[in-house]
Amino acid sequence: MKPRVFSAMQPTSDSLQLGNYLGALVQWVKLQDTHEAIYSVVDLHALTVTPEPETLRRRTRVTAAQYLAAGVDPERSLVFVQSHVPEHAELAWLLSTYTGMGEAGRMTQFKDKSAKVGEAGTNVGLFTYPILMAADILLYDTDLVPVGEDQRQHLELSRDLAERLNTRLGEGSVVVPDAHIVKAVAKIYDLQEPTKKMSKTATSPKGTIEILQDPKQVAKNIKSAATDSDSVIAFDREAKPGISNLLTIYSALDGRSVEQLVADYEGKMYGHLKVDLADVVVEYLTPIRDNAMEWIESPERLDSVLEEGAAKARGIAGQTLARLYDRVGLVPAAGRR
Ligand code: AQP
């Protein structure tokens, strides 16, 4: 049996951004060759930012379409919507009874996100988000979770919970998952504020490269990326975060190493690199965007992939949940005996 990989993204925007793509989605596609792959659109997580109902519905499908367009193959991988598998919410409740208030309170993403929306916009779901994420992962006896750097701490919590369940409920209760974080692309930065990570919900749209964005806007954003006043093209994350971020993106898409790019651009201006990079990014994203549009314009085809994925996912998730319900001492319900 192949080891299992699980990962997911929230449908919080009309398009994924390049950080989601390089940090996670590229690895998802590669791992299909060596792993049994399960990928979800985690719409229950997106409820924590209280989206409009129609917006959430649209974004859920658009997010799935981008997975498929980027190369997730429904013949080889399960692709499904989180809310179609109710076991996620059920296991999250169980896990919440195994999570200390103190350890949940240490999650830095909660601190960042709650600071962004203020006290009035912060709900309990945002606080318990990492517990639902742990449920997403542990339900599938996941061996490996490909994510970007921002999810490392949440992954650690999932591992801690898995170990705790195995200690308290007996070995073999759940699989302890490992994070799969590819260092070179683990954190793609905002083009305007290159010390902050690129985000789907960034405050300035100019700082983001969206997968489904109009190519002219993509090129414009890259050409107006913030760089330092010095004009030497070199990689130095601390002293030259802007140009270093552009070199990281360039290298990831073009295949040349950062060192090679630095050598190739010796004596050239930042503007030169930005123009070339804009061409590289546009050329790279165009087929993905076109392919995503085809999926978006065939909602029945898309929904049938998601339906099939959910049915198979429920088969796995149901077994894990039944095992855990039994081990914690719940009386089995008729359908679960
Ligand atoms: N800038 C990034 N560089 C590398 N990887 C990144 N990821 C996100 N941003 C970068 C990875 O993409 C996946 C998306 O996870 P998510 O949708 O659950 O949300 P997130 O991590 O909070 O990503 P965003 O884009 O910043 O979304 P919003 O704006 O909704 O919060 C994860 O694997 C993440 O590590």
Side-chain angles (χ1 to χ4, degrees), residues 8-10 12 17 19-20 23-24 109 113 129 147-148 150-151 185-188 197-201:
M9 295 193 200
Q10 300 180 79
T12 40
Q17 41 90 4
N20 303 136
Q109 197 176 79
K113 291 202 170 179
Y129 176 111
V147 284
D150 62 322
Q151 295 295 336
V185 286
K187 197 166 184 181
I188 301 297
K197 80 164 192 131
M198 190 179 282
S199 203
K200 283 185 235 104
T201 54

Side-chain angles (χ1 to χ4, degrees), residues 19 21-31 144-152 178-189 248 251-252:
Y21 179 75
L22 294 177
L25 206 36
V26 169
Q27 327 310 327
W28 295 15
V29 173
K30 281 190 192 149
L31 287 164
L144 204 64
V145 188
V147 284
E149 181 61 40
D150 62 322
Q151 295 295 336
R152 186 187 288 279
D178 282 318
H180 178 71
I181 300 177
V182 177
K183 198 162 174 266
V185 286
K187 197 166 184 181
I188 301 297
Y189 293 83
T248 301
S251 168

